[in-house]
Amino acid sequence: MRFVEQLPYETEVEDHVTIPMADGVRLSARIWRPVLPDGEPVPAVVEYIPYRKNDLTSTRDAIHHPYIAGHGYACVRVDLRGTGESEGVLLDEYLEQEQRDAEEVLAWVAAQPWCDGNTGMMGISWGAFAALQTAARRPPSLKAIVIASFTDNRYADDMHYLGGAMLSDNLAEAGTMFAYATCPPDPEVVGERWRDMWRERLEAARPWVLEWLRHPHRDAYWQHASLSEDYAQLQCPVLASSGWADGYSNAVTRLLAGVDVPRKGLIGPWSHKLPHLGEPGPAIGYLQEVVKWWDHWLKGVDNGVMEGPMLRTWMQESVPPSTSYEERPGRWVAEPSWPSPQIKEVVHPLRGATIVTADEEEALPRGRTRTVRSPLSVGQFAGKWASYNAPPDLPYDQREEDGGSLVFETEPLAERVEILGSPSVDLEVSASAPVAQVTARISDVAPDGRATRVTYGVLNLTHRESDEHPEPLEPGRRYRARITLNGVAQAFPPGHRVRLSLSTSYWPLVWPAPEPALLTVHEDGAALTLPVRPTEEPDGMPQASFGEPEGCRPPPVTRLTEPEQAWNVSRSLVDYHSALDIVKDRGRQRYEDNGIEVGLRACERYTSVADDFASLSGRSAWTMTFSRPGWDVRVETSTVLTSSADTFTVDATLDGYEDGRRVFSRTWNETVPRNLA
């Protein structure tokens, strides 16, 4: 990244500004503003998240907010109620209270003498959720949004459920927020009342996974704040982005197709990162794109921002399997609209172990069946649902996974094939149990046999007709089902094969069904549909379309201990115990602008024994420390999830320490019925 030293305007910053809410709670904000003659008012851009502006996101914030402010905007970075130095408590994600607070924040910002009354919202992940959800409520000052790594459908494409099957990230995200929502405010900002504020957070805390487990179907809990319930709610322009290695890429194309507002989409090769910080690379000059967006929609500048294609995306080239990449080779391609008139849905019947063409199908036998009951080891090389490019969280070579799967593949390709969009698999299946899963994976198989996963999809077969009203399977009965895989842009070179793998478990990325099930696949009607982008189609955009990544230089941070990233798979051939151990340790570091020393360590562990579905266990444990001379606090959380055929059990602990002495402790032991999960 190129750090920009000179911007159109000098900026000034207020590190702690309080914004009053109607119920008396005050939210904490940091505000960057351009220095203008005579205090001329400017549009304002708000980012609204729970991740602590004073320390944990301060480096990232200092790269892009001063940059945008230096182009003539007031940038307002707000901590949600109950986080950072904001008062109150945070009880769950995306509650009605959160959205009401956001509307009040926008109204307050728009009324300030330094704001001209026009506002925008931006953010990644929670910040993007907040912007989209707030925009759907149509606050009068909000004129446009810029969102990255978001979803319009909280049930279908968030960290909780996928195809009606529970993701292990349901536990991992709950563990993350169990820690973040119980951290203390900074005494240098809020004064001596910091202990009372911290105590209030600790007393209100509860493992959010309990609430998420109680809603395994797409009910009112998930429908709330999901724009997909009514796309017409969105009435302002939106610039939406994500990455193919992220968990949220589906929402970009779905949003482009669903809303009727000025809109642009951008999907790169990135993980869960902003595009100017994009990993795997190449990163792009995203902030230049953002400023251009704000200039047009908040200042009325006629700069051609809406010219050109609706969707720009990175067409990924074939790569060997790896758990991390510095860069993904490829090129930018563009689509004038979405769905794109250039994409052709090509249906490939599945016969024997082969993916064939429609012309070849007629000459092959019909009426055959194949069966699969996957071992629990299938999925240990699946990587993370949403990669953070925290090596090694991408999927590894799929050959071992394929050993426990039903596999179909093409002959070596005679010519290059490019796909752009969401593949799908149509099956006619019967199962031996009332609840069963099927995971479908597409891999790029090189001539030497190495298999790189391209995309995947999951379906809890009880959700074959509806996520709102799933129905159990009748063992032995045949059902039609469609598995929609995650969207992707991927090229398959000549000589490579396209492989489809079907498995009945994908642990621990997906929590398995209550009991093992034998799945019978009836070949008649079984097909893989690929969204093929003809290679003769023009790319639609010059390759130099994006500038170099740039931003402002953040204040110095001193690393006190080294970070650690680990992803270890272990198996015992004595007792058949298997484990996946994940460590994400940022190391201890000191923020030199305010002197806070922060440590963050998260450990996840997923275990099973042989193919015993009653042996499954997941654990998310966090330790977060905050200190400076005269102040030393620590929060430790642990959430353990186990299951039987009928229930989930959550065992959780929360401990708070001051000066090494435990000042708070609470435990939970609760069960939740599985209800076809």
Side-chain angles (χ1 to χ4, degrees), residues 586-619:
R586 287 175 52 165
R588 192 172 179 87
Q589 49 193 11
R590 181 170 59 246
Y591 297 89
E592 298 297 350
D593 59 338
N594 58 23
I596 294 180
E597 295 183 6
V598 177
L600 184 157
R601 182 178 178 86
C603 299
E604 297 174 40
R605 181 173 174 82
Y606 302 96
T607 64
S608 59
V609 178
D611 289 330
D612 180 4
F613 278 46
S615 69
L616 303 170
S617 175
R619 179 174 186 257

PDB file of all heavy atoms in Angstrom, residues 586-619:
ATOM      1  N   ARG A 586      -3.029 -12.547  17.951  1.00  0.00           N
ATOM      2  CA  ARG A 586      -2.489 -11.320  17.368  1.00  0.00           C
ATOM      3  C   ARG A 586      -1.195 -10.881  18.023  1.00  0.00           C
ATOM      4  O   ARG A 586      -0.535  -9.954  17.550  1.00  0.00           O
ATOM      5  CB  ARG A 586      -3.521 -10.193  17.475  1.00  0.00           C
ATOM      6  CG  ARG A 586      -4.674 -10.356  16.507  1.00  0.00           C
ATOM      7  CD  ARG A 586      -5.759  -9.317  16.682  1.00  0.00           C
ATOM      8  NE  ARG A 586      -5.284  -7.939  16.667  1.00  0.00           N
ATOM      9  CZ  ARG A 586      -6.084  -6.886  16.512  1.00  0.00           C
ATOM     10  NH1 ARG A 586      -7.387  -7.069  16.328  1.00  0.00           N
ATOM     11  NH2 ARG A 586      -5.606  -5.668  16.516  1.00  0.00           N
ATOM     12  N   GLY A 587      -0.812 -11.537  19.116  1.00  0.00           N
ATOM     13  CA  GLY A 587       0.340 -11.079  19.872  1.00  0.00           C
ATOM     14  C   GLY A 587      -0.018  -9.846  20.690  1.00  0.00           C
ATOM     15  O   GLY A 587      -1.052  -9.209  20.485  1.00  0.00           O
ATOM     16  N   ARG A 588       0.834  -9.527  21.628  1.00  0.00           N
ATOM     17  CA  ARG A 588       0.601  -8.339  22.459  1.00  0.00           C
ATOM     18  C   ARG A 588       1.260  -7.139  21.775  1.00  0.00           C
ATOM     19  O   ARG A 588       2.400  -7.223  21.308  1.00  0.00           O
ATOM     20  CB  ARG A 588       1.188  -8.549  23.851  1.00  0.00           C
ATOM     21  CG  ARG A 588       0.759  -7.498  24.865  1.00  0.00           C
ATOM     22  CD  ARG A 588       1.218  -7.866  26.271  1.00  0.00           C
ATOM     23  NE  ARG A 588       0.821  -6.863  27.227  1.00  0.00           N
ATOM     24  CZ  ARG A 588      -0.346  -6.838  27.865  1.00  0.00           C
ATOM     25  NH1 ARG A 588      -1.223  -7.798  27.632  1.00  0.00           N
ATOM     26  NH2 ARG A 588      -0.639  -5.885  28.730  1.00  0.00           N
ATOM     27  N   GLN A 589       0.521  -6.023  21.707  1.00  0.00           N
ATOM     28  CA  GLN A 589       1.064  -4.849  21.043  1.00  0.00           C
ATOM     29  C   GLN A 589       0.625  -3.574  21.757  1.00  0.00           C
ATOM     30  O   GLN A 589      -0.409  -3.558  22.429  1.00  0.00           O
ATOM     31  CB  GLN A 589       0.648  -4.814  19.570  1.00  0.00           C
ATOM     32  CG  GLN A 589      -0.809  -5.018  19.308  1.00  0.00           C
ATOM     33  CD  GLN A 589      -1.102  -5.278  17.832  1.00  0.00           C
ATOM     34  OE1 GLN A 589      -0.215  -5.497  17.025  1.00  0.00           O
ATOM     35  NE2 GLN A 589      -2.366  -5.246  17.477  1.00  0.00           N
ATOM     36  N   ARG A 590       1.442  -2.528  21.605  1.00  0.00           N
ATOM     37  CA  ARG A 590       1.164  -1.241  22.262  1.00  0.00           C
ATOM     38  C   ARG A 590       0.844  -0.204  21.192  1.00  0.00           C
ATOM     39  O   ARG A 590       1.599  -0.016  20.233  1.00  0.00           O
ATOM     40  CB  ARG A 590       2.353  -0.779  23.088  1.00  0.00           C
ATOM     41  CG  ARG A 590       2.101   0.547  23.824  1.00  0.00           C
ATOM     42  CD  ARG A 590       3.194   0.871  24.829  1.00  0.00           C
ATOM     43  NE  ARG A 590       4.496   0.974  24.202  1.00  0.00           N
ATOM     44  CZ  ARG A 590       5.515   0.122  24.423  1.00  0.00           C
ATOM     45  NH1 ARG A 590       5.370  -0.882  25.270  1.00  0.00           N
ATOM     46  NH2 ARG A 590       6.675   0.279  23.805  1.00  0.00           N
ATOM     47  N   TYR A 591      -0.285   0.464  21.367  1.00  0.00           N
ATOM     48  CA  TYR A 591      -0.686   1.559  20.486  1.00  0.00           C
ATOM     49  C   TYR A 591      -0.046   2.834  21.025  1.00  0.00           C
ATOM     50  O   TYR A 591      -0.435   3.344  22.085  1.00  0.00           O
ATOM     51  CB  TYR A 591      -2.212   1.663  20.440  1.00  0.00           C
ATOM     52  CG  TYR A 591      -2.859   0.430  19.860  1.00  0.00           C
ATOM     53  CD1 TYR A 591      -3.216  -0.642  20.670  1.00  0.00           C
ATOM     54  CD2 TYR A 591      -3.098   0.319  18.495  1.00  0.00           C
ATOM     55  CE1 TYR A 591      -3.793  -1.792  20.147  1.00  0.00           C
ATOM     56  CE2 TYR A 591      -3.678  -0.823  17.954  1.00  0.00           C
ATOM     57  CZ  TYR A 591      -4.023  -1.874  18.784  1.00  0.00           C
ATOM     58  OH  TYR A 591      -4.588  -3.004  18.255  1.00  0.00           O
ATOM     59  N   GLU A 592       0.914   3.340  20.292  1.00  0.00           N
ATOM     60  CA  GLU A 592       1.755   4.410  20.823  1.00  0.00           C
ATOM     61  C   GLU A 592       1.014   5.736  20.960  1.00  0.00           C
ATOM     62  O   GLU A 592       1.434   6.596  21.744  1.00  0.00           O
ATOM     63  CB  GLU A 592       2.998   4.589  19.949  1.00  0.00           C
ATOM     64  CG  GLU A 592       3.911   3.370  19.900  1.00  0.00           C
ATOM     65  CD  GLU A 592       4.516   3.014  21.264  1.00  0.00           C
ATOM     66  OE1 GLU A 592       4.376   3.809  22.208  1.00  0.00           O
ATOM     67  OE2 GLU A 592       5.128   1.941  21.377  1.00  0.00           O
ATOM     68  N   ASP A 593      -0.088   5.928  20.214  1.00  0.00           N
ATOM     69  CA  ASP A 593      -0.776   7.213  20.330  1.00  0.00           C
ATOM     70  C   ASP A 593      -1.551   7.353  21.622  1.00  0.00           C
ATOM     71  O   ASP A 593      -1.817   8.468  22.085  1.00  0.00           O
ATOM     72  CB  ASP A 593      -1.699   7.432  19.126  1.00  0.00           C
ATOM     73  CG  ASP A 593      -2.739   6.339  18.985  1.00  0.00           C
ATOM     74  OD1 ASP A 593      -2.536   5.223  19.517  1.00  0.00           O
ATOM     75  OD2 ASP A 593      -3.774   6.589  18.330  1.00  0.00           O
ATOM     76  N   ASN A 594      -1.936   6.217  22.263  1.00  0.00           N
ATOM     77  CA  ASN A 594      -2.655   6.329  23.541  1.00  0.00           C
ATOM     78  C   ASN A 594      -2.068   5.440  24.633  1.00  0.00           C
ATOM     79  O   ASN A 594      -2.564   5.445  25.769  1.00  0.00           O
ATOM     80  CB  ASN A 594      -4.147   6.020  23.363  1.00  0.00           C
ATOM     81  CG  ASN A 594      -4.399   4.635  22.782  1.00  0.00           C
ATOM     82  OD1 ASN A 594      -3.572   3.743  22.871  1.00  0.00           O
ATOM     83  ND2 ASN A 594      -5.572   4.467  22.175  1.00  0.00           N
ATOM     84  N   GLY A 595      -1.041   4.663  24.322  1.00  0.00           N
ATOM     85  CA  GLY A 595      -0.340   3.879  25.326  1.00  0.00           C
ATOM     86  C   GLY A 595      -1.011   2.587  25.743  1.00  0.00           C
ATOM     87  O   GLY A 595      -0.490   1.874  26.614  1.00  0.00           O
ATOM     88  N   ILE A 596      -2.139   2.220  25.154  1.00  0.00           N
ATOM     89  CA  ILE A 596      -2.813   0.975  25.530  1.00  0.00           C
ATOM     90  C   ILE A 596      -2.036  -0.217  24.987  1.00  0.00           C
ATOM     91  O   ILE A 596      -1.635  -0.243  23.825  1.00  0.00           O
ATOM     92  CB  ILE A 596      -4.256   0.935  24.996  1.00  0.00           C
ATOM     93  CG1 ILE A 596      -5.114   2.001  25.661  1.00  0.00           C
ATOM     94  CG2 ILE A 596      -4.881  -0.435  25.216  1.00  0.00           C
ATOM     95  CD1 ILE A 596      -6.549   2.004  25.180  1.00  0.00           C
ATOM     96  N   GLU A 597      -1.833  -1.220  25.850  1.00  0.00           N
ATOM     97  CA  GLU A 597      -1.274  -2.497  25.432  1.00  0.00           C
ATOM     98  C   GLU A 597      -2.403  -3.515  25.370  1.00  0.00           C
ATOM     99  O   GLU A 597      -3.184  -3.647  26.322  1.00  0.00           O
ATOM    100  CB  GLU A 597      -0.178  -2.966  26.388  1.00  0.00           C
ATOM    101  CG  GLU A 597       1.039  -2.052  26.389  1.00  0.00           C
ATOM    102  CD  GLU A 597       2.160  -2.553  27.270  1.00  0.00           C
ATOM    103  OE1 GLU A 597       2.025  -3.690  27.807  1.00  0.00           O
ATOM    104  OE2 GLU A 597       3.162  -1.830  27.431  1.00  0.00           O
ATOM    105  N   VAL A 598      -2.493  -4.210  24.246  1.00  0.00           N
ATOM    106  CA  VAL A 598      -3.608  -5.119  24.004  1.00  0.00           C
ATOM    107  C   VAL A 598      -3.070  -6.474  23.583  1.00  0.00           C
ATOM    108  O   VAL A 598      -2.144  -6.569  22.775  1.00  0.00           O
ATOM    109  CB  VAL A 598      -4.548  -4.567  22.905  1.00  0.00           C
ATOM    110  CG1 VAL A 598      -5.660  -5.562  22.604  1.00  0.00           C
ATOM    111  CG2 VAL A 598      -5.139  -3.231  23.328  1.00  0.00           C
ATOM    112  N   GLY A 599      -3.675  -7.515  24.122  1.00  0.00           N
ATOM    113  CA  GLY A 599      -3.386  -8.882  23.695  1.00  0.00           C
ATOM    114  C   GLY A 599      -4.678  -9.590  23.338  1.00  0.00           C
ATOM    115  O   GLY A 599      -5.705  -9.392  24.002  1.00  0.00           O
ATOM    116  N   LEU A 600      -4.635 -10.390  22.292  1.00  0.00           N
ATOM    117  CA  LEU A 600      -5.838 -11.113  21.850  1.00  0.00           C
ATOM    118  C   LEU A 600      -5.405 -12.496  21.393  1.00  0.00           C
ATOM    119  O   LEU A 600      -4.575 -12.634  20.501  1.00  0.00           O
ATOM    120  CB  LEU A 600      -6.508 -10.350  20.703  1.00  0.00           C
ATOM    121  CG  LEU A 600      -7.825 -10.861  20.125  1.00  0.00           C
ATOM    122  CD1 LEU A 600      -8.569  -9.721  19.443  1.00  0.00           C
ATOM    123  CD2 LEU A 600      -7.600 -11.978  19.099  1.00  0.00           C
ATOM    124  N   ARG A 601      -5.982 -13.517  22.022  1.00  0.00           N
ATOM    125  CA  ARG A 601      -5.692 -14.902  21.641  1.00  0.00           C
ATOM    126  C   ARG A 601      -6.995 -15.691  21.588  1.00  0.00           C
ATOM    127  O   ARG A 601      -7.776 -15.680  22.553  1.00  0.00           O
ATOM    128  CB  ARG A 601      -4.726 -15.561  22.625  1.00  0.00           C
ATOM    129  CG  ARG A 601      -4.345 -17.002  22.252  1.00  0.00           C
ATOM    130  CD  ARG A 601      -3.344 -17.578  23.235  1.00  0.00           C
ATOM    131  NE  ARG A 601      -3.002 -18.960  22.934  1.00  0.00           N
ATOM    132  CZ  ARG A 601      -2.061 -19.357  22.084  1.00  0.00           C
ATOM    133  NH1 ARG A 601      -1.354 -18.453  21.434  1.00  0.00           N
ATOM    134  NH2 ARG A 601      -1.811 -20.644  21.872  1.00  0.00           N
ATOM    135  N   ALA A 602      -7.246 -16.332  20.457  1.00  0.00           N
ATOM    136  CA  ALA A 602      -8.439 -17.153  20.280  1.00  0.00           C
ATOM    137  C   ALA A 602      -8.010 -18.552  19.882  1.00  0.00           C
ATOM    138  O   ALA A 602      -7.138 -18.726  19.022  1.00  0.00           O
ATOM    139  CB  ALA A 602      -9.346 -16.559  19.207  1.00  0.00           C
ATOM    140  N   CYS A 603      -8.619 -19.544  20.508  1.00  0.00           N
ATOM    141  CA  CYS A 603      -8.339 -20.947  20.198  1.00  0.00           C
ATOM    142  C   CYS A 603      -9.651 -21.670  19.929  1.00  0.00           C
ATOM    143  O   CYS A 603     -10.607 -21.538  20.706  1.00  0.00           O
ATOM    144  CB  CYS A 603      -7.602 -21.642  21.342  1.00  0.00           C
ATOM    145  SG  CYS A 603      -5.996 -20.918  21.743  1.00  0.00           S
ATOM    146  N   GLU A 604      -9.688 -22.401  18.829  1.00  0.00           N
ATOM    147  CA  GLU A 604     -10.833 -23.253  18.530  1.00  0.00           C
ATOM    148  C   GLU A 604     -10.361 -24.698  18.473  1.00  0.00           C
ATOM    149  O   GLU A 604      -9.249 -24.981  18.010  1.00  0.00           O
ATOM    150  CB  GLU A 604     -11.471 -22.867  17.192  1.00  0.00           C
ATOM    151  CG  GLU A 604     -12.044 -21.459  17.150  1.00  0.00           C
ATOM    152  CD  GLU A 604     -12.519 -21.087  15.752  1.00  0.00           C
ATOM    153  OE1 GLU A 604     -13.111 -21.956  15.072  1.00  0.00           O
ATOM    154  OE2 GLU A 604     -12.270 -19.947  15.326  1.00  0.00           O
ATOM    155  N   ARG A 605     -11.223 -25.591  18.925  1.00  0.00           N
ATOM    156  CA  ARG A 605     -10.890 -27.025  18.903  1.00  0.00           C
ATOM    157  C   ARG A 605     -12.144 -27.807  18.547  1.00  0.00           C
ATOM    158  O   ARG A 605     -13.192 -27.638  19.185  1.00  0.00           O
ATOM    159  CB  ARG A 605     -10.339 -27.474  20.254  1.00  0.00           C
ATOM    160  CG  ARG A 605      -9.942 -28.952  20.306  1.00  0.00           C
ATOM    161  CD  ARG A 605      -9.250 -29.265  21.629  1.00  0.00           C
ATOM    162  NE  ARG A 605      -8.982 -30.674  21.803  1.00  0.00           N
ATOM    163  CZ  ARG A 605      -7.931 -31.331  21.287  1.00  0.00           C
ATOM    164  NH1 ARG A 605      -7.052 -30.674  20.558  1.00  0.00           N
ATOM    165  NH2 ARG A 605      -7.755 -32.623  21.500  1.00  0.00           N
ATOM    166  N   TYR A 606     -12.026 -28.657  17.538  1.00  0.00           N
ATOM    167  CA  TYR A 606     -13.142 -29.485  17.088  1.00  0.00           C
ATOM    168  C   TYR A 606     -12.686 -30.940  17.118  1.00  0.00           C
ATOM    169  O   TYR A 606     -11.665 -31.278  16.500  1.00  0.00           O
ATOM    170  CB  TYR A 606     -13.571 -29.086  15.674  1.00  0.00           C
ATOM    171  CG  TYR A 606     -13.968 -27.631  15.582  1.00  0.00           C
ATOM    172  CD1 TYR A 606     -13.047 -26.666  15.159  1.00  0.00           C
ATOM    173  CD2 TYR A 606     -15.245 -27.212  15.941  1.00  0.00           C
ATOM    174  CE1 TYR A 606     -13.398 -25.331  15.098  1.00  0.00           C
ATOM    175  CE2 TYR A 606     -15.601 -25.872  15.880  1.00  0.00           C
ATOM    176  CZ  TYR A 606     -14.671 -24.934  15.455  1.00  0.00           C
ATOM    177  OH  TYR A 606     -15.015 -23.603  15.396  1.00  0.00           O
ATOM    178  N   THR A 607     -13.424 -31.792  17.836  1.00  0.00           N
ATOM    179  CA  THR A 607     -12.992 -33.170  18.030  1.00  0.00           C
ATOM    180  C   THR A 607     -14.123 -34.141  17.721  1.00  0.00           C
ATOM    181  O   THR A 607     -15.311 -33.810  17.795  1.00  0.00           O
ATOM    182  CB  THR A 607     -12.512 -33.409  19.472  1.00  0.00           C
ATOM    183  OG1 THR A 607     -13.603 -33.219  20.381  1.00  0.00           O
ATOM    184  CG2 THR A 607     -11.382 -32.461  19.840  1.00  0.00           C
ATOM    185  N   SER A 608     -13.727 -35.357  17.384  1.00  0.00           N
ATOM    186  CA  SER A 608     -14.664 -36.460  17.190  1.00  0.00           C
ATOM    187  C   SER A 608     -13.897 -37.754  17.388  1.00  0.00           C
ATOM    188  O   SER A 608     -12.655 -37.773  17.366  1.00  0.00           O
ATOM    189  CB  SER A 608     -15.300 -36.409  15.799  1.00  0.00           C
ATOM    190  OG  SER A 608     -14.308 -36.480  14.792  1.00  0.00           O
ATOM    191  N   VAL A 609     -14.625 -38.850  17.567  1.00  0.00           N
ATOM    192  CA  VAL A 609     -14.030 -40.170  17.722  1.00  0.00           C
ATOM    193  C   VAL A 609     -14.615 -41.077  16.655  1.00  0.00           C
ATOM    194  O   VAL A 609     -15.840 -41.290  16.620  1.00  0.00           O
ATOM    195  CB  VAL A 609     -14.290 -40.750  19.123  1.00  0.00           C
ATOM    196  CG1 VAL A 609     -13.703 -42.153  19.230  1.00  0.00           C
ATOM    197  CG2 VAL A 609     -13.703 -39.846  20.198  1.00  0.00           C
ATOM    198  N   ALA A 610     -13.731 -41.576  15.785  1.00  0.00           N
ATOM    199  CA  ALA A 610     -14.148 -42.457  14.687  1.00  0.00           C
ATOM    200  C   ALA A 610     -15.335 -41.833  13.969  1.00  0.00           C
ATOM    201  O   ALA A 610     -15.296 -40.662  13.606  1.00  0.00           O
ATOM    202  CB  ALA A 610     -14.441 -43.855  15.220  1.00  0.00           C
ATOM    203  N   ASP A 611     -16.396 -42.596  13.774  1.00  0.00           N
ATOM    204  CA  ASP A 611     -17.602 -42.068  13.148  1.00  0.00           C
ATOM    205  C   ASP A 611     -18.754 -42.025  14.139  1.00  0.00           C
ATOM    206  O   ASP A 611     -19.921 -42.214  13.769  1.00  0.00           O
ATOM    207  CB  ASP A 611     -17.975 -42.918  11.932  1.00  0.00           C
ATOM    208  CG  ASP A 611     -17.007 -42.711  10.785  1.00  0.00           C
ATOM    209  OD1 ASP A 611     -16.453 -41.603  10.692  1.00  0.00           O
ATOM    210  OD2 ASP A 611     -16.783 -43.658  10.012  1.00  0.00           O
ATOM    211  N   ASP A 612     -18.411 -41.752  15.407  1.00  0.00           N
ATOM    212  CA  ASP A 612     -19.404 -41.647  16.471  1.00  0.00           C
ATOM    213  C   ASP A 612     -19.977 -40.224  16.479  1.00  0.00           C
ATOM    214  O   ASP A 612     -19.321 -39.292  16.947  1.00  0.00           O
ATOM    215  CB  ASP A 612     -18.761 -41.982  17.810  1.00  0.00           C
ATOM    216  CG  ASP A 612     -19.742 -41.896  18.973  1.00  0.00           C
ATOM    217  OD1 ASP A 612     -20.949 -41.647  18.728  1.00  0.00           O
ATOM    218  OD2 ASP A 612     -19.292 -42.075  20.119  1.00  0.00           O
ATOM    219  N   PHE A 613     -21.193 -40.058  15.967  1.00  0.00           N
ATOM    220  CA  PHE A 613     -21.790 -38.731  15.871  1.00  0.00           C
ATOM    221  C   PHE A 613     -22.110 -38.156  17.245  1.00  0.00           C
ATOM    222  O   PHE A 613     -22.299 -36.943  17.369  1.00  0.00           O
ATOM    223  CB  PHE A 613     -23.055 -38.788  15.013  1.00  0.00           C
ATOM    224  CG  PHE A 613     -22.788 -38.751  13.534  1.00  0.00           C
ATOM    225  CD1 PHE A 613     -21.799 -39.551  12.959  1.00  0.00           C
ATOM    226  CD2 PHE A 613     -23.510 -37.918  12.703  1.00  0.00           C
ATOM    227  CE1 PHE A 613     -21.553 -39.527  11.603  1.00  0.00           C
ATOM    228  CE2 PHE A 613     -23.269 -37.877  11.331  1.00  0.00           C
ATOM    229  CZ  PHE A 613     -22.284 -38.683  10.782  1.00  0.00           C
ATOM    230  N   ALA A 614     -22.169 -38.979  18.276  1.00  0.00           N
ATOM    231  CA  ALA A 614     -22.402 -38.476  19.633  1.00  0.00           C
ATOM    232  C   ALA A 614     -21.127 -37.950  20.276  1.00  0.00           C
ATOM    233  O   ALA A 614     -21.174 -37.386  21.374  1.00  0.00           O
ATOM    234  CB  ALA A 614     -23.002 -39.576  20.507  1.00  0.00           C
ATOM    235  N   SER A 615     -19.979 -38.104  19.600  1.00  0.00           N
ATOM    236  CA  SER A 615     -18.703 -37.679  20.188  1.00  0.00           C
ATOM    237  C   SER A 615     -18.293 -36.278  19.768  1.00  0.00           C
ATOM    238  O   SER A 615     -17.265 -35.770  20.216  1.00  0.00           O
ATOM    239  CB  SER A 615     -17.604 -38.660  19.759  1.00  0.00           C
ATOM    240  OG  SER A 615     -17.337 -38.543  18.359  1.00  0.00           O
ATOM    241  N   LEU A 616     -19.091 -35.609  18.933  1.00  0.00           N
ATOM    242  CA  LEU A 616     -18.703 -34.309  18.391  1.00  0.00           C
ATOM    243  C   LEU A 616     -18.586 -33.259  19.490  1.00  0.00           C
ATOM    244  O   LEU A 616     -19.435 -33.174  20.385  1.00  0.00           O
ATOM    245  CB  LEU A 616     -19.728 -33.844  17.367  1.00  0.00           C
ATOM    246  CG  LEU A 616     -19.987 -34.772  16.183  1.00  0.00           C
ATOM    247  CD1 LEU A 616     -21.187 -34.287  15.393  1.00  0.00           C
ATOM    248  CD2 LEU A 616     -18.758 -34.869  15.306  1.00  0.00           C
ATOM    249  N   SER A 617     -17.552 -32.448  19.377  1.00  0.00           N
ATOM    250  CA  SER A 617     -17.369 -31.355  20.336  1.00  0.00           C
ATOM    251  C   SER A 617     -16.661 -30.204  19.651  1.00  0.00           C
ATOM    252  O   SER A 617     -15.721 -30.412  18.869  1.00  0.00           O
ATOM    253  CB  SER A 617     -16.554 -31.821  21.540  1.00  0.00           C
ATOM    254  OG  SER A 617     -16.282 -30.740  22.421  1.00  0.00           O
ATOM    255  N   GLY A 618     -17.128 -28.973  19.938  1.00  0.00           N
ATOM    256  CA  GLY A 618     -16.453 -27.773  19.471  1.00  0.00           C
ATOM    257  C   GLY A 618     -16.225 -26.826  20.629  1.00  0.00           C
ATOM    258  O   GLY A 618     -17.083 -26.708  21.515  1.00  0.00           O
ATOM    259  N   ARG A 619     -15.090 -26.151  20.634  1.00  0.00           N
ATOM    260  CA  ARG A 619     -14.779 -25.205  21.713  1.00  0.00           C
ATOM    261  C   ARG A 619     -14.184 -23.938  21.117  1.00  0.00           C
ATOM    262  O   ARG A 619     -13.313 -23.992  20.248  1.00  0.00           O
ATOM    263  CB  ARG A 619     -13.793 -25.814  22.705  1.00  0.00           C
ATOM    264  CG  ARG A 619     -13.412 -24.857  23.862  1.00  0.00           C
ATOM    265  CD  ARG A 619     -12.555 -25.556  24.902  1.00  0.00           C
ATOM    266  NE  ARG A 619     -12.300 -24.726  26.053  1.00  0.00           N
ATOM    267  CZ  ARG A 619     -11.147 -24.083  26.305  1.00  0.00           C
ATOM    268  NH1 ARG A 619     -10.133 -24.203  25.458  1.00  0.00           N
ATOM    269  NH2 ARG A 619     -10.997 -23.339  27.380  1.00  0.00           N
TER     270      ARG A 619
END
